[in-house]
Amino acid sequence: MRTTVPRPPQTDASFTDAAVEKVRYEGAYPTRERADEAVRLVLAGLGRQLTGDERVELAGCLPPQAARVLTAQIPAPQPLTGWAFVKDLAARTEASPATTRWDTGSVFSAVAAYAGPDLITRILQQLPTGYALLFGRAELTPAA
């Protein structure tokens, strides 16, 4: 007969470690530090874009440290399009738009896993065009 050993409860640190490791794996980053840097950059940028209930709900879904990065940002008066979001992050870090696009997709993939499809759909409805692709979804536009 096989017995199971109870696992200790997850702490904020281990939960965040798991989130960063997910981003590291998804983005194929060479180090944990590089993945952590991407998480902080992209979550801070997203925090400048989101407002209202979706911002609060997303923060509630994320590990506490990640939620603090998201909510520490003051939302911009006018959110950026998806491409402008990537260019803004690239300019802030002096990275190429291609690298920043990769970082954004890797982090948004993890964010989507924490938030679930319903919340991500509502977030995408709030944001300007161009974010669906960053979250790994098709960009649907209404027929004219």
Side-chain angles (χ1 to χ4, degrees), residues 10-27 29 32 35-36 38-40 43 61-67 106-111 113-114:
Q10 265 186 331
T11 63
D12 288 356
S14 66
F15 198 68
T16 301
D17 287 345
V20 171
E21 281 304 315
K22 179 172 178 44
V23 170
R24 181 178 178 192
Y25 177 78
E26 294 288 329
Y29 293 105
R32 184 187 187 292
D36 186 67
V39 169
R40 291 177 187 283
L43 284 179
C61 295
L62 296 173
Q65 291 175 346
S106 299
V107 173
F108 281 0
S109 173
V111 167
Y114 282 109

Side-chain angles (χ1 to χ4, degrees), residues 26-92:
E26 294 288 329
Y29 293 105
T31 64
R32 184 187 187 292
E33 291 75 23
R34 177 64 185 94
D36 186 67
E37 180 183 305
V39 169
R40 291 177 187 283
L41 169 73
V42 174
L43 284 179
L46 186 58
R48 290 188 292 274
Q49 303 306 306
L50 286 180
T51 60
D53 292 341
E54 290 77 16
R55 177 184 170 102
V56 173
E57 285 183 51
L58 180 59
C61 295
L62 296 173
Q65 291 175 346
R68 282 191 288 277
V69 172
L70 178 86
T71 59
Q73 306 304 309
I74 297 170
Q78 184 65 36
L80 301 170
T81 65
W83 178 236
F85 175 81
V86 170
K87 291 193 312 187
D88 178 65
L89 294 181
R92 289 173 186 270

